[in-house]
Short mmCIF file of all heavy atoms in Angstrom, two decimals:
data_model
loop_
_atom_site.label_atom_id
_atom_site.label_comp_id
_atom_site.label_asym_id
_atom_site.label_seq_id
_atom_site.Cartn_x
_atom_site.Cartn_y
_atom_site.Cartn_z
N LEU Q 5 92.99 129.62 98.45
CA LEU Q 5 92.11 130.21 97.44
C LEU Q 5 92.31 131.71 97.31
O LEU Q 5 91.98 132.31 96.28
CB LEU Q 5 90.65 129.90 97.79
CG LEU Q 5 90.28 128.42 97.86
CD1 LEU Q 5 88.83 128.25 98.29
CD2 LEU Q 5 90.52 127.74 96.52
N GLY Q 6 92.86 132.33 98.34
CA GLY Q 6 93.03 133.77 98.30
C GLY Q 6 94.39 134.24 97.86
O GLY Q 6 94.67 135.44 97.94
N ILE Q 7 95.25 133.35 97.39
CA ILE Q 7 96.60 133.76 96.99
C ILE Q 7 96.55 134.80 95.88
O ILE Q 7 97.20 135.85 95.94
CB ILE Q 7 97.43 132.54 96.56
CG1 ILE Q 7 97.78 131.69 97.78
CG2 ILE Q 7 98.71 132.99 95.85
CD1 ILE Q 7 98.58 130.45 97.44
N ARG Q 8 95.76 134.52 94.86
CA ARG Q 8 95.69 135.44 93.73
C ARG Q 8 95.15 136.81 94.15
O ARG Q 8 95.65 137.86 93.71
CB ARG Q 8 94.81 134.84 92.63
CG ARG Q 8 94.75 135.68 91.35
CD ARG Q 8 93.89 134.98 90.31
NE ARG Q 8 93.82 135.76 89.08
CZ ARG Q 8 94.72 135.70 88.12
NH1 ARG Q 8 95.76 134.89 88.24
NH2 ARG Q 8 94.60 136.44 87.03
N ARG Q 9 94.12 136.79 95.00
CA ARG Q 9 93.54 138.06 95.45
C ARG Q 9 94.50 138.81 96.35
O ARG Q 9 94.64 140.03 96.25
CB ARG Q 9 92.23 137.77 96.19
CG ARG Q 9 91.59 138.99 96.83
CD ARG Q 9 90.21 138.63 97.37
NE ARG Q 9 90.28 137.48 98.26
CZ ARG Q 9 90.59 137.58 99.56
NH1 ARG Q 9 90.87 138.76 100.08
NH2 ARG Q 9 90.62 136.50 100.30
N TRP Q 10 95.21 138.10 97.25
CA TRP Q 10 96.12 138.75 98.19
C TRP Q 10 97.32 139.36 97.48
O TRP Q 10 97.89 140.34 97.94
CB TRP Q 10 96.58 137.75 99.25
CG TRP Q 10 95.49 137.42 100.23
CD1 TRP Q 10 94.25 137.98 100.32
CD2 TRP Q 10 95.55 136.43 101.26
NE1 TRP Q 10 93.54 137.42 101.33
CE2 TRP Q 10 94.30 136.47 101.93
CE3 TRP Q 10 96.52 135.53 101.68
CZ2 TRP Q 10 94.02 135.66 103.00
CZ3 TRP Q 10 96.24 134.71 102.75
CH2 TRP Q 10 94.99 134.76 103.40
N ARG Q 11 97.73 138.76 96.38
CA ARG Q 11 98.90 139.30 95.68
C ARG Q 11 98.63 140.71 95.18
O ARG Q 11 99.56 141.50 95.00
CB ARG Q 11 99.27 138.39 94.51
CG ARG Q 11 99.82 137.03 94.93
CD ARG Q 11 100.19 136.19 93.74
NE ARG Q 11 101.26 136.81 92.96
CZ ARG Q 11 101.73 136.31 91.82
NH1 ARG Q 11 101.20 135.21 91.32
NH2 ARG Q 11 102.70 136.92 91.18
N ARG Q 12 97.36 141.06 94.95
CA ARG Q 12 97.01 142.39 94.45
C ARG Q 12 96.43 143.28 95.55
O ARG Q 12 96.01 144.40 95.27
CB ARG Q 12 95.99 142.25 93.31
CG ARG Q 12 96.51 141.44 92.13
CD ARG Q 12 95.45 141.30 91.06
NE ARG Q 12 95.95 140.51 89.93
CZ ARG Q 12 95.22 140.21 88.85
NH1 ARG Q 12 93.97 140.63 88.77
NH2 ARG Q 12 95.73 139.50 87.86
N ASN Q 13 96.38 142.78 96.77
CA ASN Q 13 95.80 143.55 97.87
C ASN Q 13 96.90 144.34 98.56
O ASN Q 13 97.83 143.76 99.12
CB ASN Q 13 95.14 142.58 98.85
CG ASN Q 13 94.31 143.31 99.89
OD1 ASN Q 13 94.51 144.50 100.14
ND2 ASN Q 13 93.37 142.60 100.49
N PRO Q 14 96.82 145.67 98.57
CA PRO Q 14 97.89 146.47 99.16
C PRO Q 14 97.99 146.34 100.67
O PRO Q 14 99.04 146.64 101.25
CB PRO Q 14 97.53 147.89 98.74
CG PRO Q 14 96.04 147.85 98.51
CD PRO Q 14 95.76 146.49 97.97
N VAL Q 15 96.91 145.91 101.34
CA VAL Q 15 96.95 145.78 102.80
C VAL Q 15 97.31 144.36 103.24
O VAL Q 15 97.34 144.09 104.43
CB VAL Q 15 95.59 146.19 103.41
CG1 VAL Q 15 95.27 147.63 103.09
CG2 VAL Q 15 94.49 145.26 102.92
N CYS Q 16 97.56 143.48 102.28
CA CYS Q 16 97.92 142.10 102.63
C CYS Q 16 99.36 142.05 103.12
O CYS Q 16 100.27 142.57 102.47
CB CYS Q 16 97.76 141.20 101.41
SG CYS Q 16 98.20 139.48 101.73
N ARG Q 17 99.56 141.41 104.26
CA ARG Q 17 100.90 141.30 104.82
C ARG Q 17 101.68 140.21 104.10
O ARG Q 17 101.11 139.22 103.64
CB ARG Q 17 100.81 140.96 106.31
CG ARG Q 17 100.13 142.02 107.15
CD ARG Q 17 99.80 141.49 108.53
NE ARG Q 17 98.89 140.35 108.46
CZ ARG Q 17 98.35 139.77 109.53
NH1 ARG Q 17 98.65 140.21 110.73
NH2 ARG Q 17 97.54 138.75 109.39
N PRO Q 18 103.00 140.37 104.01
CA PRO Q 18 103.83 139.32 103.39
C PRO Q 18 103.66 137.97 104.07
O PRO Q 18 103.68 136.93 103.41
CB PRO Q 18 105.24 139.86 103.53
CG PRO Q 18 105.08 141.34 103.61
CD PRO Q 18 103.80 141.56 104.35
N THR Q 19 103.48 138.00 105.40
CA THR Q 19 103.32 136.72 106.11
C THR Q 19 102.05 136.00 105.71
O THR Q 19 102.00 134.77 105.71
CB THR Q 19 103.31 136.96 107.64
OG1 THR Q 19 102.32 137.96 107.95
CG2 THR Q 19 104.67 137.44 108.12
N ASP Q 20 101.01 136.77 105.36
CA ASP Q 20 99.77 136.13 104.90
C ASP Q 20 100.01 135.39 103.59
O ASP Q 20 99.53 134.27 103.39
CB ASP Q 20 98.67 137.18 104.70
CG ASP Q 20 98.24 137.81 106.01
OD1 ASP Q 20 98.29 137.10 107.04
OD2 ASP Q 20 97.85 138.98 106.01
N ARG Q 21 100.74 136.02 102.69
CA ARG Q 21 101.05 135.36 101.41
C ARG Q 21 101.94 134.14 101.63
O ARG Q 21 101.76 133.10 100.99
CB ARG Q 21 101.73 136.35 100.47
CG ARG Q 21 100.80 137.44 99.95
CD ARG Q 21 101.44 138.22 98.82
NE ARG Q 21 102.57 139.01 99.29
CZ ARG Q 21 102.47 140.27 99.70
NH1 ARG Q 21 101.29 140.88 99.72
NH2 ARG Q 21 103.55 140.93 100.08
N HIS Q 22 102.89 134.26 102.56
CA HIS Q 22 103.77 133.12 102.84
C HIS Q 22 102.98 131.94 103.40
O HIS Q 22 103.21 130.79 103.03
CB HIS Q 22 104.86 133.54 103.82
CG HIS Q 22 105.79 134.57 103.27
ND1 HIS Q 22 106.61 135.36 104.06
CD2 HIS Q 22 106.03 134.97 101.99
CE1 HIS Q 22 107.31 136.18 103.31
NE2 HIS Q 22 106.98 135.96 102.04
N GLU Q 23 102.04 132.24 104.31
CA GLU Q 23 101.22 131.16 104.88
C GLU Q 23 100.38 130.50 103.80
O GLU Q 23 100.17 129.28 103.80
CB GLU Q 23 100.33 131.73 105.98
CG GLU Q 23 101.07 132.12 107.25
CD GLU Q 23 100.14 132.65 108.31
OE1 GLU Q 23 98.91 132.44 108.18
OE2 GLU Q 23 100.62 133.27 109.27
N ALA Q 24 99.87 131.32 102.87
CA ALA Q 24 99.07 130.76 101.79
C ALA Q 24 99.90 129.85 100.89
O ALA Q 24 99.43 128.78 100.47
CB ALA Q 24 98.46 131.90 100.97
N TRP Q 25 101.12 130.26 100.59
CA TRP Q 25 101.98 129.42 99.76
C TRP Q 25 102.35 128.12 100.49
O TRP Q 25 102.43 127.06 99.86
CB TRP Q 25 103.26 130.18 99.37
CG TRP Q 25 103.04 131.15 98.24
CD1 TRP Q 25 103.12 132.51 98.30
CD2 TRP Q 25 102.70 130.82 96.89
NE1 TRP Q 25 102.84 133.06 97.08
CE2 TRP Q 25 102.58 132.06 96.19
CE3 TRP Q 25 102.47 129.65 96.21
CZ2 TRP Q 25 102.26 132.11 94.84
CZ3 TRP Q 25 102.13 129.71 94.86
CH2 TRP Q 25 102.03 130.92 94.19
N VAL Q 26 102.57 128.22 101.79
CA VAL Q 26 102.85 127.00 102.56
C VAL Q 26 101.65 126.06 102.51
O VAL Q 26 101.79 124.85 102.33
CB VAL Q 26 103.21 127.36 104.02
CG1 VAL Q 26 103.24 126.11 104.89
CG2 VAL Q 26 104.55 128.06 104.08
N ALA Q 27 100.45 126.61 102.66
CA ALA Q 27 99.24 125.79 102.61
C ALA Q 27 99.06 125.15 101.24
O ALA Q 27 98.69 123.98 101.11
CB ALA Q 27 98.02 126.63 102.96
N LEU Q 28 99.32 125.93 100.18
CA LEU Q 28 99.19 125.39 98.82
C LEU Q 28 100.19 124.26 98.58
O LEU Q 28 99.86 123.22 98.00
CB LEU Q 28 99.40 126.50 97.80
CG LEU Q 28 99.36 126.06 96.32
CD1 LEU Q 28 98.01 125.44 95.99
CD2 LEU Q 28 99.64 127.25 95.41
N THR Q 29 101.43 124.47 99.03
CA THR Q 29 102.45 123.43 98.88
C THR Q 29 102.05 122.15 99.62
O THR Q 29 102.18 121.04 99.08
CB THR Q 29 103.81 123.93 99.39
OG1 THR Q 29 104.17 125.11 98.68
CG2 THR Q 29 104.88 122.86 99.22
N ALA Q 30 101.55 122.31 100.85
CA ALA Q 30 101.13 121.14 101.63
C ALA Q 30 99.97 120.43 100.95
O ALA Q 30 99.92 119.19 100.92
CB ALA Q 30 100.74 121.57 103.04
N LEU Q 31 99.03 121.21 100.38
CA LEU Q 31 97.89 120.59 99.71
C LEU Q 31 98.33 119.79 98.50
O LEU Q 31 97.86 118.66 98.27
CB LEU Q 31 96.91 121.68 99.28
CG LEU Q 31 95.66 121.20 98.52
CD1 LEU Q 31 94.83 120.27 99.39
CD2 LEU Q 31 94.83 122.38 98.05
N LEU Q 32 99.24 120.34 97.70
CA LEU Q 32 99.73 119.62 96.53
C LEU Q 32 100.47 118.34 96.94
O LEU Q 32 100.34 117.30 96.27
CB LEU Q 32 100.65 120.52 95.71
CG LEU Q 32 99.96 121.72 95.02
CD1 LEU Q 32 100.98 122.58 94.31
CD2 LEU Q 32 98.90 121.23 94.05
N LEU Q 33 101.23 118.42 98.02
CA LEU Q 33 101.95 117.23 98.50
C LEU Q 33 100.97 116.15 98.94
O LEU Q 33 101.17 114.96 98.65
CB LEU Q 33 102.89 117.60 99.64
CG LEU Q 33 104.13 118.41 99.27
CD1 LEU Q 33 104.90 118.81 100.53
CD2 LEU Q 33 105.04 117.61 98.33
N MET Q 34 99.89 116.55 99.62
CA MET Q 34 98.93 115.57 100.11
C MET Q 34 98.10 114.98 98.97
O MET Q 34 97.70 113.82 99.03
CB MET Q 34 98.01 116.21 101.15
CG MET Q 34 98.69 116.42 102.50
SD MET Q 34 97.55 116.96 103.79
CE MET Q 34 97.29 118.67 103.32
N LEU Q 35 97.86 115.76 97.92
CA LEU Q 35 97.06 115.28 96.82
C LEU Q 35 97.85 114.51 95.77
O LEU Q 35 97.30 113.67 95.05
CB LEU Q 35 96.34 116.45 96.13
CG LEU Q 35 95.26 117.16 96.95
CD1 LEU Q 35 94.67 118.31 96.15
CD2 LEU Q 35 94.19 116.19 97.40
N ILE Q 36 99.15 114.80 95.67
CA ILE Q 36 99.96 114.18 94.61
C ILE Q 36 101.05 113.28 95.20
O ILE Q 36 101.13 112.09 94.88
CB ILE Q 36 100.60 115.26 93.72
CG1 ILE Q 36 99.50 116.10 93.04
CG2 ILE Q 36 101.50 114.63 92.67
CD1 ILE Q 36 100.02 117.26 92.23
N ALA Q 37 101.90 113.86 96.05
CA ALA Q 37 103.06 113.11 96.55
C ALA Q 37 102.65 111.96 97.46
O ALA Q 37 103.20 110.85 97.36
CB ALA Q 37 104.01 114.06 97.29
N ALA Q 38 101.68 112.20 98.36
CA ALA Q 38 101.27 111.14 99.29
C ALA Q 38 100.70 109.92 98.57
O ALA Q 38 101.09 108.79 98.86
CB ALA Q 38 100.28 111.69 100.32
N PRO Q 39 99.77 110.09 97.60
CA PRO Q 39 99.29 108.90 96.88
C PRO Q 39 100.38 108.19 96.10
O PRO Q 39 100.40 106.95 96.04
CB PRO Q 39 98.23 109.48 95.94
CG PRO Q 39 97.77 110.73 96.59
CD PRO Q 39 98.99 111.29 97.25
N VAL Q 40 101.29 108.96 95.49
CA VAL Q 40 102.40 108.32 94.76
C VAL Q 40 103.28 107.52 95.71
O VAL Q 40 103.68 106.39 95.40
CB VAL Q 40 103.23 109.39 94.01
CG1 VAL Q 40 104.50 108.77 93.44
CG2 VAL Q 40 102.40 110.01 92.90
N LEU Q 41 103.57 108.11 96.87
CA LEU Q 41 104.37 107.39 97.86
C LEU Q 41 103.65 106.14 98.34
O LEU Q 41 104.27 105.07 98.50
CB LEU Q 41 104.68 108.31 99.04
CG LEU Q 41 105.50 107.70 100.18
CD1 LEU Q 41 106.88 107.29 99.67
CD2 LEU Q 41 105.65 108.69 101.32
#
Side-chain angles (χ1 to χ4, degrees):
L5 299 177
I7 289 179
R8 184 178 180 85
R9 174 172 54 85
W10 287 354
R11 291 181 63 183
R12 300 178 180 179
N13 190 339
V15 299
C16 179
R17 298 167 299 186
T19 53
D20 294 329
R21 290 191 292 268
H22 295 162
E23 289 181 15
W25 281 113
V26 169
L28 177 60
T29 302
L31 178 62
L32 292 177
L33 288 175
M34 285 188 286
L35 293 179
I36 299 176
V40 171
L41 180 62

